[in-house]
Amino acid sequence: MNKMWAGRFKKQLNPIADDFNSSIRVDCRMYAQDIKGSMAHAAMLAATGILKPEESEKIIDGLDGILKDIQSGKLEIDPSAEDIHMFVEGELTKRIGDCGKRLHTARSRNDQVALDVRLYLKDEAAELSVLIKDLIAAIRDKGLEHKTAIMPGYTHLQRAQPITFVHHLLCWCMMLCRDLGRLQDTVKRMNFSPLGSCALAGTTFATDREMVAEELGFDGITLNSMDGVSDRDFCLEMLSCLSVLMMHLSRMSEELILWSSWEFKFIEMDDSYTTGSSIMPQKKNPDMAELIRGKTGRVYGDLMALLTTLKGLPLAYNKDMQEDKESVFDAVDTAKMCLKVMAPMIATMTVREDKMSAAAKEGFINATDLADYLTKKGVPFRTAYKTVGETVALCIEKGTVLDELPITEYKKLNPLFEDDLYREISLETCVKKRISAGGTGPQSVAAQVDYIQSILAQ
Ligand code: ARG
């Protein structure tokens, strides 16, 4: 195919090199952003007198037709084109003739691609935010369905202290609220238009970059033309956000997998989000959660790939940077898919309060509360801690639990123990009395739900 840049070349590009060089398979998805960017550029070229109004109008109409035809499927993107920018410009000239060749005045593909990726990722960030919010709402609602359910809280995966199931799930919501915030921060820095930086040094035409920026919904323009075309920090920031998000989804998945096991059985995944085994008839595997955990590695890989690609690149644009899109698009696609499967998977799972409560009754998870009981009666905490340690040892020896050890035994360990201790160490009391801000107690849970609501309403 004849290249638009063919002028100085005596030979055609080698077909293998041509295929190797082409990025259309990856960047074709930015067609709408590319066209909208070109429309804003053409409007600016008329407003500044660089193009005649009728030329600009013809270009904008032509671009609008291309956009509509791609959207309706009437126009297929040619996979043998070099990239989406060349394809759209070529198609425009095919449609409106020589006037189409004026579009690229005071512009380069270098600032064009930097613009398109920013526009594309801004759109994706908006979609990701909606999906993250959907997931937060699904998790919160599942927690609230089982507001009073008590389960063991763990450290080192050893039963530690009683918590409410809803408190555990709200912890997941908090992680995701931060992911939303990180995404918003990323967009804040991404939201400057590089268009008009041109190849690297700006242009001799008196363009109006602010006009284009405003038209495309940016907060302003990038201030250094070399930075405008060489900066891919916004891709890296997006990839970092997505890596942290995936790390969160992976930690949640791990707990869901664990809780689905016969050893825990705190939850049962709905049949529609689990799979069977080809040999073991009894199996019901949490494949979706495992895949989310697995795909996390892939998103980290995308981040590492782009960091490595950019490392050591001299200013300004280098073709290496064409690789940015493969990484960042893959990460966006992967994260979106994971969010889309995770929300309904959680919404449809069954929570086994009985299993949680049975697990909470074992493992002496109210031992801290017993120590607090003595401490509130004036015993120094460290001393109370030691006494309760001895009490636990005694219970293990007798094959009983703190709740069932007779008061006579307690009295031998410390005469300050009274009958009211049993109420104080009941799991319900342990949870209710965790009154500190952010604790598992009901006031804190209510405050957390309010906070999450305020984030979802933004
Ligand atoms: N397809 C290219 C990319 O994605 C567009 C920019 C090409 N610029 C150039 N000078 N060859 O990076």
Side-chain angles (χ1 to χ4, degrees):
M1 199 210 267
N2 271 331
K3 297 290 178 196
M4 283 181 208
W5 38 258
R8 66 104 71 211
F9 292 84
K10 296 209 168 63
K11 283 190 189 172
Q12 291 273 334
L13 183 59
N14 169 284
I16 294 172
D18 193 13
D19 191 43
F20 183 63
N21 187 53
S22 163
S23 57
I24 189 97
R25 276 179 297 262
V26 177
D27 57 33
C28 63
R29 62 162 82 191
M30 305 190 302
Y31 72 86
Q33 289 79 9
D34 191 75
I35 292 173
K36 283 177 189 153
S38 288
M39 284 172 158
H41 181 64
M44 180 278 289
L45 290 178
T48 49
I50 299 168
L51 287 190
K52 294 190 191 110
E54 58 273 22
E55 292 169 331
S56 167
E57 263 166 47
K58 210 168 164 189
I59 291 173
I60 292 172
D61 282 351
L63 288 168
D64 191 46
I66 296 174
L67 179 61
K68 289 193 177 120
D69 289 351
I70 297 177
Q71 275 163 348
S72 70
K74 215 167 118 191
L75 173 63
E76 246 176 71
I77 295 175
D78 178 3
S80 71
E82 187 173 327
D83 55 32
I84 190 64
H85 327 295
M86 291 302 207
F87 172 75
V88 172
E89 195 187 321
E91 180 65 25
L92 180 68
T93 304
K94 238 194 253 170
R95 292 185 178 203
I96 66 167
D98 275 357
C99 181
K101 295 183 184 168
R102 296 190 188 274
L103 169 63
H104 213 52
T105 313
R107 186 177 78 168
S108 151
R109 265 189 299 162
N110 297 350
D111 55 344
Q112 193 179 350
V113 72
L115 173 83
D116 292 0
V117 180
R118 283 176 195 245
L119 286 173
Y120 183 83
L121 290 182
K122 281 206 295 170
D123 291 344
E124 290 289 1
E127 282 187 34
L128 277 160
S129 291
V130 172
L131 292 173
I132 296 173
K133 283 184 177 180
D134 288 349
L135 178 57
I136 292 174
I139 295 170
R140 174 204 54 191
D141 293 349
K142 185 53 67 174
L144 290 176
E145 272 173 36
H146 302 275
K147 216 175 168 177
T148 54
I150 295 174
M151 65 180 278
Y154 296 82
T155 63
H156 313 267
L157 208 51
Q158 302 288 318
R159 289 174 191 159
Q161 291 179 343
I163 55 168
T164 50
F165 174 67
V166 64
H167 189 57
H168 194 120
L169 260 61
L170 291 176
C171 174
W172 293 357
C173 291
M174 295 301 169
M175 302 174 185
L176 293 167
C177 286
R178 288 195 298 279
D179 291 321
L180 267 180
R182 255 185 293 275
L183 206 55
Q184 284 158 4
D185 290 345
T186 299
V187 170
K188 237 182 261 166
R189 265 182 302 279
M190 187 189 295
N191 207 17
F192 293 91
S193 168
L195 201 73
S197 299
C198 302
L200 77 162
T203 174
T204 53
F205 291 96
T207 50
D208 184 350
R209 292 187 56 204
E210 274 87 3
M211 178 188 164
V212 176
E214 205 182 302
E215 171 64 27
L216 295 172
F218 287 100
D219 290 332
I221 60 168
T222 56
L223 292 179
N224 178 302
S225 60
M226 294 179 72
D227 191 41
V229 291
S230 65
D231 168 33
R232 292 294 183 273
D233 293 2
F234 58 95
C235 294
L236 292 175
E237 284 194 46
M238 177 60 102
L239 285 163
S240 324
C241 282
L242 295 177
S243 295
V244 177
L245 166 70
M246 288 300 299
M247 178 271 288
H248 288 152
L249 298 187
S250 182
R251 291 181 80 171
M252 294 171 203
S253 296
E254 169 59 20
E255 293 194 309
L256 290 170
I257 294 162
L258 209 57
W259 293 351
S260 302
S261 69
W262 281 105
E263 283 69 15
F264 280 79
K265 266 289 170 264
F266 290 177
I267 59 162
E268 192 172 333
M269 299 276 196
D270 192 72
D271 280 2
S272 52
Y273 290 93
T274 46
T275 60
S277 152
S278 60
I279 174 173
M280 297 167 281
Q282 85 285 8
K283 287 297 285 293
K284 180 170 170 178
N285 296 326
D287 288 31
M288 308 308 135
E290 291 168 69
L291 268 175
I292 293 168
R293 189 177 58 185
K295 284 180 189 293
T296 303
R298 170 186 181 133
V299 173
Y300 292 0
D302 289 326
L303 170 62
M304 279 303 134
L306 188 58
L307 277 170
T308 311
T309 299
L310 293 172
K311 172 186 174 297
L313 287 189
L315 296 180
Y317 178 84
N318 301 270
K319 192 69 172 223
D320 315 44
M321 289 157 65
Q322 178 163 286
E323 293 288 310
D324 59 356
K325 288 171 281 302
E326 295 214 30
S327 302
V328 78
F329 292 172
D330 180 68
V332 166
D333 292 349
T334 305
K336 278 168 74 181
M337 236 176 354
C338 293
L339 289 165
K340 276 182 198 163
V341 77
M342 190 122 186
M345 181 176 80
I346 288 176
T348 55
M349 73 189 191
T350 306
V351 176
R352 297 285 307 269
E353 295 192 17
D354 56 327
K355 293 283 185 187
M356 289 181 181
S357 136
K361 286 191 178 111
E362 287 170 12
F364 302 98
I365 64 177
N366 46 5
T368 315
D369 300 80
L370 189 60
D372 286 352
Y373 170 87
L374 279 183
T375 307
K376 282 173 188 161
K377 295 202 167 192
V379 180
F381 178 76
R382 208 31 87 205
T383 312
Y385 172 96
K386 185 159 182 278
T387 304
V388 175
E390 286 159 7
T391 316
V392 168
L394 182 70
C395 286
I396 293 171
E397 204 183 294
K398 291 183 174 292
T400 185
V401 291
L402 294 172
D403 314 64
E404 276 157 32
L405 188 72
I407 189 69
T408 46
E409 295 289 343
Y410 271 112
K411 289 270 187 207
K412 281 187 221 160
L413 288 151
N414 190 322
L416 288 172
F417 280 126
E418 308 274 356
D419 267 333
D420 61 349
L421 79 86
Y422 297 103
R423 186 167 30 85
E424 285 305 302
I425 65 167
S426 83
L427 294 179
E428 286 71 25
T429 315
C430 294
V431 163
K432 262 195 208 116
K433 286 213 169 165
R434 286 286 193 290
I435 50 168
S436 59
T440 195
Q443 303 95 320
S444 152
V445 165
Q448 295 177 56
V449 170
D450 285 349
Y451 169 75
I452 286 160
Q453 192 48 43
S454 74
I455 296 286
L456 292 182
Q458 270 171 24

Short mmCIF file of all heavy atoms in Angstrom, two decimals, residues 366-397:
data_model
loop_
_atom_site.label_atom_id
_atom_site.label_comp_id
_atom_site.label_asym_id
_atom_site.label_seq_id
_atom_site.Cartn_x
_atom_site.Cartn_y
_atom_site.Cartn_z
N ASN A 366 -12.25 -15.07 72.13
CA ASN A 366 -12.67 -14.05 73.09
C ASN A 366 -11.66 -13.87 74.22
O ASN A 366 -11.95 -13.22 75.22
CB ASN A 366 -14.08 -14.36 73.63
CG ASN A 366 -14.21 -15.82 74.04
OD1 ASN A 366 -13.22 -16.57 73.99
ND2 ASN A 366 -15.40 -16.23 74.43
N ALA A 367 -10.45 -14.41 74.05
CA ALA A 367 -9.43 -14.32 75.11
C ALA A 367 -9.04 -12.86 75.39
O ALA A 367 -8.86 -12.48 76.55
CB ALA A 367 -8.21 -15.14 74.72
N THR A 368 -8.93 -12.05 74.35
CA THR A 368 -8.57 -10.64 74.55
C THR A 368 -9.64 -9.95 75.39
O THR A 368 -9.34 -9.13 76.27
CB THR A 368 -8.41 -9.90 73.21
OG1 THR A 368 -7.65 -10.71 72.32
CG2 THR A 368 -7.72 -8.57 73.38
N ASP A 369 -10.89 -10.30 75.13
CA ASP A 369 -12.00 -9.69 75.85
C ASP A 369 -11.97 -10.07 77.33
O ASP A 369 -12.32 -9.27 78.20
CB ASP A 369 -13.33 -10.09 75.22
CG ASP A 369 -13.38 -9.64 73.77
OD1 ASP A 369 -12.80 -10.34 72.92
OD2 ASP A 369 -13.95 -8.56 73.51
N LEU A 370 -11.54 -11.31 77.57
CA LEU A 370 -11.43 -11.75 78.97
C LEU A 370 -10.32 -10.97 79.67
O LEU A 370 -10.47 -10.55 80.83
CB LEU A 370 -11.16 -13.27 79.02
CG LEU A 370 -11.23 -13.90 80.40
CD1 LEU A 370 -12.60 -13.71 81.05
CD2 LEU A 370 -10.89 -15.40 80.33
N ALA A 371 -9.23 -10.74 78.96
CA ALA A 371 -8.14 -9.95 79.55
C ALA A 371 -8.61 -8.51 79.80
O ALA A 371 -8.31 -7.92 80.84
CB ALA A 371 -6.92 -9.96 78.62
N ASP A 372 -9.37 -7.97 78.84
CA ASP A 372 -9.92 -6.61 79.01
C ASP A 372 -10.84 -6.56 80.24
O ASP A 372 -10.86 -5.57 80.98
CB ASP A 372 -10.71 -6.19 77.76
CG ASP A 372 -9.82 -5.84 76.58
OD1 ASP A 372 -8.58 -5.77 76.77
OD2 ASP A 372 -10.35 -5.66 75.46
N TYR A 373 -11.59 -7.64 80.46
CA TYR A 373 -12.50 -7.74 81.61
C TYR A 373 -11.72 -7.54 82.91
O TYR A 373 -12.10 -6.73 83.76
CB TYR A 373 -13.18 -9.11 81.57
CG TYR A 373 -13.98 -9.48 82.80
CD1 TYR A 373 -15.32 -9.10 82.92
CD2 TYR A 373 -13.39 -10.23 83.83
CE1 TYR A 373 -16.05 -9.46 84.05
CE2 TYR A 373 -14.12 -10.59 84.96
CZ TYR A 373 -15.44 -10.20 85.07
OH TYR A 373 -16.16 -10.55 86.19
N LEU A 374 -10.61 -8.27 83.04
CA LEU A 374 -9.80 -8.13 84.26
C LEU A 374 -9.17 -6.75 84.33
O LEU A 374 -9.08 -6.13 85.39
CB LEU A 374 -8.70 -9.20 84.30
CG LEU A 374 -9.10 -10.60 84.76
CD1 LEU A 374 -7.85 -11.50 84.81
CD2 LEU A 374 -9.76 -10.58 86.15
N THR A 375 -8.73 -6.25 83.18
CA THR A 375 -8.07 -4.95 83.13
C THR A 375 -9.02 -3.86 83.62
O THR A 375 -8.64 -2.95 84.34
CB THR A 375 -7.59 -4.65 81.70
OG1 THR A 375 -6.80 -5.75 81.26
CG2 THR A 375 -6.75 -3.39 81.62
N LYS A 376 -10.29 -3.99 83.20
CA LYS A 376 -11.28 -2.99 83.63
C LYS A 376 -11.55 -3.07 85.13
O LYS A 376 -12.08 -2.14 85.72
CB LYS A 376 -12.57 -3.15 82.83
CG LYS A 376 -12.43 -2.56 81.43
CD LYS A 376 -13.60 -2.84 80.53
CE LYS A 376 -13.29 -2.38 79.11
NZ LYS A 376 -14.16 -2.98 78.11
N LYS A 377 -11.17 -4.22 85.74
CA LYS A 377 -11.32 -4.33 87.20
C LYS A 377 -10.04 -3.89 87.91
O LYS A 377 -9.85 -4.16 89.09
CB LYS A 377 -11.66 -5.77 87.57
CG LYS A 377 -13.02 -6.19 87.03
CD LYS A 377 -13.60 -7.35 87.80
CE LYS A 377 -15.07 -7.50 87.41
NZ LYS A 377 -15.78 -8.41 88.30
N GLY A 378 -9.12 -3.27 87.18
CA GLY A 378 -7.94 -2.69 87.81
C GLY A 378 -6.67 -3.50 87.65
O GLY A 378 -5.58 -3.05 88.04
N VAL A 379 -6.76 -4.70 87.09
CA VAL A 379 -5.54 -5.52 86.91
C VAL A 379 -4.75 -4.92 85.74
O VAL A 379 -5.34 -4.61 84.70
CB VAL A 379 -5.93 -6.99 86.59
CG1 VAL A 379 -4.69 -7.85 86.39
CG2 VAL A 379 -6.83 -7.56 87.68
N PRO A 380 -3.42 -4.73 85.89
CA PRO A 380 -2.65 -4.23 84.75
C PRO A 380 -2.81 -5.18 83.55
O PRO A 380 -2.84 -6.41 83.74
CB PRO A 380 -1.20 -4.25 85.25
CG PRO A 380 -1.29 -4.30 86.73
CD PRO A 380 -2.58 -4.98 87.07
N PHE A 381 -2.90 -4.63 82.36
CA PHE A 381 -3.21 -5.46 81.19
C PHE A 381 -2.24 -6.62 81.05
O PHE A 381 -2.63 -7.76 80.78
CB PHE A 381 -3.22 -4.64 79.88
CG PHE A 381 -3.49 -5.52 78.69
CD1 PHE A 381 -4.77 -5.99 78.42
CD2 PHE A 381 -2.45 -5.96 77.86
CE1 PHE A 381 -5.02 -6.85 77.36
CE2 PHE A 381 -2.69 -6.83 76.79
CZ PHE A 381 -3.98 -7.27 76.54
N ARG A 382 -0.95 -6.36 81.23
CA ARG A 382 0.05 -7.42 81.04
C ARG A 382 -0.20 -8.59 82.01
O ARG A 382 -0.01 -9.75 81.65
CB ARG A 382 1.45 -6.81 81.22
CG ARG A 382 2.59 -7.46 80.49
CD ARG A 382 2.29 -8.12 79.19
NE ARG A 382 2.36 -7.26 78.03
CZ ARG A 382 1.68 -7.50 76.90
NH1 ARG A 382 0.89 -8.55 76.79
NH2 ARG A 382 1.78 -6.69 75.88
N THR A 383 -0.62 -8.24 83.24
CA THR A 383 -0.90 -9.28 84.24
C THR A 383 -2.16 -10.05 83.83
O THR A 383 -2.20 -11.29 83.89
CB THR A 383 -1.11 -8.62 85.63
OG1 THR A 383 -0.04 -7.70 85.85
CG2 THR A 383 -1.13 -9.67 86.73
N ALA A 384 -3.17 -9.29 83.42
CA ALA A 384 -4.43 -9.92 82.98
C ALA A 384 -4.16 -10.85 81.81
O ALA A 384 -4.69 -11.98 81.73
CB ALA A 384 -5.43 -8.84 82.58
N TYR A 385 -3.32 -10.39 80.89
CA TYR A 385 -2.95 -11.17 79.70
C TYR A 385 -2.39 -12.53 80.12
O TYR A 385 -2.76 -13.58 79.59
CB TYR A 385 -1.92 -10.37 78.91
CG TYR A 385 -1.29 -11.09 77.75
CD1 TYR A 385 -1.79 -10.94 76.45
CD2 TYR A 385 -0.19 -11.93 77.94
CE1 TYR A 385 -1.21 -11.59 75.38
CE2 TYR A 385 0.40 -12.59 76.88
CZ TYR A 385 -0.11 -12.42 75.60
OH TYR A 385 0.47 -13.07 74.55
N LYS A 386 -1.50 -12.48 81.14
CA LYS A 386 -0.84 -13.71 81.59
C LYS A 386 -1.88 -14.66 82.22
O LYS A 386 -1.89 -15.86 81.93
CB LYS A 386 0.25 -13.35 82.61
CG LYS A 386 1.08 -14.52 83.07
CD LYS A 386 2.42 -14.06 83.64
CE LYS A 386 3.29 -15.25 84.05
NZ LYS A 386 2.93 -15.75 85.39
N THR A 387 -2.74 -14.11 83.04
CA THR A 387 -3.78 -14.93 83.70
C THR A 387 -4.66 -15.61 82.64
O THR A 387 -4.96 -16.81 82.74
CB THR A 387 -4.66 -14.05 84.61
OG1 THR A 387 -3.81 -13.37 85.52
CG2 THR A 387 -5.69 -14.87 85.35
N VAL A 388 -5.06 -14.83 81.62
CA VAL A 388 -5.93 -15.41 80.59
C VAL A 388 -5.16 -16.47 79.79
O VAL A 388 -5.73 -17.51 79.44
CB VAL A 388 -6.52 -14.30 79.67
CG1 VAL A 388 -7.32 -14.93 78.53
CG2 VAL A 388 -7.41 -13.37 80.48
N GLY A 389 -3.89 -16.24 79.58
CA GLY A 389 -3.07 -17.26 78.90
C GLY A 389 -3.11 -18.57 79.68
O GLY A 389 -3.28 -19.65 79.10
N GLU A 390 -2.99 -18.46 80.99
CA GLU A 390 -3.04 -19.66 81.84
C GLU A 390 -4.43 -20.30 81.80
O GLU A 390 -4.58 -21.53 81.81
CB GLU A 390 -2.67 -19.29 83.29
CG GLU A 390 -1.18 -19.03 83.46
CD GLU A 390 -0.86 -18.18 84.70
OE1 GLU A 390 -1.78 -17.91 85.52
OE2 GLU A 390 0.32 -17.79 84.83
N THR A 391 -5.45 -19.42 81.73
CA THR A 391 -6.83 -19.93 81.65
C THR A 391 -7.04 -20.73 80.36
O THR A 391 -7.65 -21.80 80.37
CB THR A 391 -7.84 -18.76 81.71
OG1 THR A 391 -7.43 -17.84 82.73
CG2 THR A 391 -9.24 -19.26 82.01
N VAL A 392 -6.50 -20.17 79.26
CA VAL A 392 -6.62 -20.87 77.97
C VAL A 392 -5.92 -22.23 78.06
O VAL A 392 -6.47 -23.27 77.64
CB VAL A 392 -6.03 -20.01 76.82
CG1 VAL A 392 -5.88 -20.83 75.54
CG2 VAL A 392 -6.91 -18.79 76.56
N ALA A 393 -4.73 -22.23 78.63
CA ALA A 393 -3.99 -23.49 78.76
C ALA A 393 -4.81 -24.51 79.56
O ALA A 393 -4.88 -25.69 79.21
CB ALA A 393 -2.64 -23.22 79.43
N LEU A 394 -5.44 -24.02 80.62
CA LEU A 394 -6.27 -24.90 81.46
C LEU A 394 -7.44 -25.47 80.65
O LEU A 394 -7.76 -26.66 80.74
CB LEU A 394 -6.78 -24.11 82.68
CG LEU A 394 -7.63 -24.88 83.68
CD1 LEU A 394 -6.76 -25.90 84.45
CD2 LEU A 394 -8.29 -23.93 84.68
N CYS A 395 -8.07 -24.61 79.88
CA CYS A 395 -9.20 -25.05 79.04
C CYS A 395 -8.75 -26.12 78.05
O CYS A 395 -9.45 -27.12 77.85
CB CYS A 395 -9.79 -23.87 78.26
SG CYS A 395 -10.76 -22.75 79.27
N ILE A 396 -7.60 -25.89 77.43
CA ILE A 396 -7.10 -26.87 76.45
C ILE A 396 -6.88 -28.21 77.15
O ILE A 396 -7.28 -29.27 76.65
CB ILE A 396 -5.80 -26.37 75.78
CG1 ILE A 396 -6.12 -25.14 74.90
CG2 ILE A 396 -5.14 -27.46 74.94
CD1 ILE A 396 -4.91 -24.41 74.35
N GLU A 397 -6.30 -28.14 78.35
CA GLU A 397 -6.04 -29.35 79.14
C GLU A 397 -7.35 -30.08 79.45
O GLU A 397 -7.44 -31.30 79.35
CB GLU A 397 -5.39 -28.89 80.45
CG GLU A 397 -4.52 -29.92 81.16
CD GLU A 397 -4.03 -29.30 82.47
OE1 GLU A 397 -3.24 -28.32 82.39
OE2 GLU A 397 -4.46 -29.76 83.55
#
